[in-house]
Amino acid sequence: MSRAIDGTKRKNRRIKILKLAKGFKGDRKSNYKAAKDAVTKALRHAYVDRRDRKGNFRALWISRINAAVRDEGITYSRFIDGCTKAGVVINRKALSNMAIEDPTAFKAVVQIAKNALQA
């Protein structure tokens, strides 16, 4: 009777990698060795970029807030300083959203910040 050496483990492991490589170009989608390297690198980039995305969004919110407060005659850093002194605790995502969707409420927050800076 012949003996089983590897069973389906090796084939299953290779199939799993090749499934992850779907959509890749050239040998990277069909050649196991090339696909393994490509998938490893792609998964590493995906992991890192999920964390980088948080910083990218924060930078976007800050840019939007800066543009909105400059229309009111104040810089972003002075605005944040005024909000801190006034005790306004609104995160940058909410401030950015407010500047876009509800300009009147945002102007009120800017006015509060300006008053806190003068006091």
Side-chain angles (χ1 to χ4, degrees):
M1 184 175 172
S2 61
R3 67 186 181 103
I5 295 173
D6 207 9
T8 59
K9 289 180 185 174
R10 181 178 189 209
K11 184 179 179 186
N12 289 343
R13 184 170 56 243
R14 287 172 178 249
I15 287 172
K16 183 172 69 174
I17 294 293
L18 290 172
K19 275 186 181 176
L20 287 170
K22 244 186 187 155
F24 290 8
K25 288 184 175 181
D27 273 357
R28 303 174 95 200
K29 70 180 170 200
S30 55
N31 180 311
Y32 172 73
K33 191 172 182 182
K36 182 178 64 169
D37 294 338
V39 166
T40 303
K41 191 170 190 177
L43 291 174
R44 189 179 328 117
H45 281 297
Y47 177 84
V48 170
D49 289 344
R50 279 196 299 276
R51 277 128 194 95
D52 286 347
R53 180 174 52 207
K54 291 152 184 62
N56 291 339
F57 270 108
R58 184 181 169 94
L60 174 67
W61 299 329
I62 288 171
S63 297
R64 287 178 176 171
I65 295 167
N66 190 23
V69 295
R70 283 185 186 267
D71 289 342
E72 302 299 317
I74 188 173
T75 63
Y76 170 78
S77 62
R78 299 291 294 154
F79 170 68
I80 293 297
D81 185 34
C83 285
T84 304
K85 288 178 179 172
V88 175
V89 185
I90 304 175
N91 64 24
R92 282 151 183 82
K93 180 179 180 180
L95 282 170
S96 169
N97 203 25
M98 188 186 298
I100 294 167
E101 294 180 4
D102 194 2
T104 54
F106 185 75
K107 286 180 184 180
V109 174
V110 171
Q111 196 57 47
I112 291 169
K114 281 184 178 179
N115 293 340
L117 286 173
Q118 291 172 353

